[in-house]
Amino acid sequence: MGMASSILSFLLVSALCLLSSPAPAVAQNLPPIVNGLSFTFYKSSCPKLESIVKDFLKKQFEKDIGLAAGLLRIHFHDCFVQGCDGSVLLDGSASGPSEQDAPPNLTLRPAAFQAINDLRALIDGQCGRVVSCADVVALAARDSVVLSGGPNYKVPLGRRDGVTFATRNATLASLPAPTFNVTQILPVLSRISLDADDLVALSGGHTIGRGHCSSFSNRLFPSRDPTMDQTFFNNLRIPARLPTPTRRRRWTSAARTCSTTSTMWI
Ligand code: HEM
Ligand SMILES: *[C@@H]1O[C@H](CO)[C@@H](O)[C@H](O)[C@H]1NC(C)=O
Ligand SMILES: *[C@@H]1O[C@H](CO)[C@@H](O)[C@H](O)[C@H]1NC(C)=O
Ligand SMILES: CC(=O)N[C@H]1CO[C@H](CO)[C@@H](O)[C@@H]1O
């Protein structure tokens, strides 16, 4: 898609909505949108939608700001696997394991799924069942960015929920692996018309959140991956922001490997 813009906000809207044929922006400060989406989609059917979402999340984030990272990542996983269709929320069934059951999901936060369910109930209560889950996920991701200090952006609405979840294989094929380098990530992105500029902007999503040790331990143990910055490496080994008991439990291992339960802020 060749987006030249380097701001995360713009790309989150365009990239994560999987634009295939960008239409001209409706106003100067609005990104292009695909047919079917609109900035006024629920104007009459659920006029307070955006404030319901923001007010709810504001309260939740006071209790746990980590939830913001969880919600942002759910939007990414939803959109990269068969489009922004809410399918990441679907449970597996007799036909096979769902997206949630594919390995990359193992680290999606249950609290974030819970927050989407709670929001859904709140919205249904006020407006009836008119708002798609995919739109709720998209709005929650935007407010997660904004409420944790990131840029604001407008979210076009009108996504339809998919009725089928992606298979384990499709999920694996659509999400770049933690071990991928840029050369390997770019072809995965190009399948959904995203390029290197988009990758740089979207990587800004990692400004918040955590990674489990197992996601990057291959670059720490048995010794530093030579392509990893030394200061960054040192900082990862001394997770100062974690409470001391957690730190001790995790990093005193003589073998210097991850314990199975270890997590780390990134
Ligand atoms: C393009 C390739 C990407 C790769 C390879 C990747 C990889 C990862 C990995 C390995 C983690 C840590 C998971 C864990 O150990 O728990 C993570 C976390 C995260 N990712 Fe990505 N990611 C990518 C793109 C994105 C995008 C596009 C966004 C959103 C704009 C995003 C948002 C996040 C967030 C917010 C977290 C923290 C989640 C939490 O704290 O619960 N990532 N990512
Ligand atoms: C999933 O991918 C694996 C490895 O590529 C392959 O062996 C398997 O047959 C695939 N399963 C399905 C259901 O397509
Ligand atoms: C990325 O990884 C692939 C597969 O391991 C390797 O062939 C390639 O040279 C790597 N590219 C860079 C830039 O390191
Ligand atoms: C948050 C969530 O739904 N996680 C699921 C991911 O996959 C595992 C393994 O199948 C499930 O047990 C989790 O419930």
Side-chain angles (χ1 to χ4, degrees), residues 100-102 105-106 108-110 113:
Q100 288 191 10
D101 295 327
N105 132 72
L106 295 173
L108 289 176
R109 299 193 197 210
F113 287 111

Side-chain angles (χ1 to χ4, degrees), residues 212-228:
H212 289 73
C213 186
S214 54
S215 298
F216 54 88
S217 57
N218 62 317
R219 304 189 67 198
L220 305 181
F221 308 116
S223 59
R224 177 178 61 96
D225 172 344
T227 65
M228 180 184 264

Side-chain angles (χ1 to χ4, degrees), residues 31-78:
I33 55 173
V34 279
N35 285 340
L37 296 191
S38 147
F39 288 102
T40 54
F41 197 83
Y42 300 109
K43 200 176 174 189
S44 53
S45 61
C46 196
K48 293 201 179 131
L49 174 63
E50 301 211 15
S51 61
I52 296 172
V53 175
K54 188 163 279 171
D55 292 347
F56 175 82
L57 291 180
K58 225 183 254 175
K59 272 184 251 150
Q60 297 298 309
F61 292 167
E62 279 166 19
K63 288 180 259 171
D64 174 19
I65 188 62
L67 178 60
L71 288 167
L72 178 57
R73 189 160 182 243
I74 281 185
H75 185 40
F76 157 54
H77 280 223
D78 185 28

Side-chain angles (χ1 to χ4, degrees), residues 156-228:
L157 298 167
R159 292 165 193 76
R160 304 288 179 195
D161 287 335
V163 290
T164 49
F165 53 78
T167 61
R168 188 175 190 277
N169 275 6
T171 304
L172 284 172
S174 310
L175 293 167
T179 50
F180 275 14
N181 60 28
V182 171
T183 317
Q184 294 168 299
I185 292 176
L186 287 175
V188 180
L189 263 60
S190 80
R191 275 191 255 140
I192 49 174
S193 308
L194 299 179
D195 64 15
D197 286 348
D198 299 318
L199 176 58
V200 171
L202 287 169
S203 295
H206 291 150
T207 304
I208 57 173
R210 70 185 180 198
H212 289 73
C213 186
S214 54
S215 298
F216 54 88
S217 57
N218 62 317
R219 304 189 67 198
L220 305 181
F221 308 116
S223 59
R224 177 178 61 96
D225 172 344
T227 65
M228 180 184 264

Side-chain angles (χ1 to χ4, degrees), residues 15-32:
L16 296 183
C17 296
L18 305 182
L19 291 189
S20 52
S21 54
V26 293
Q28 225 169 7
N29 62 344
L30 297 180

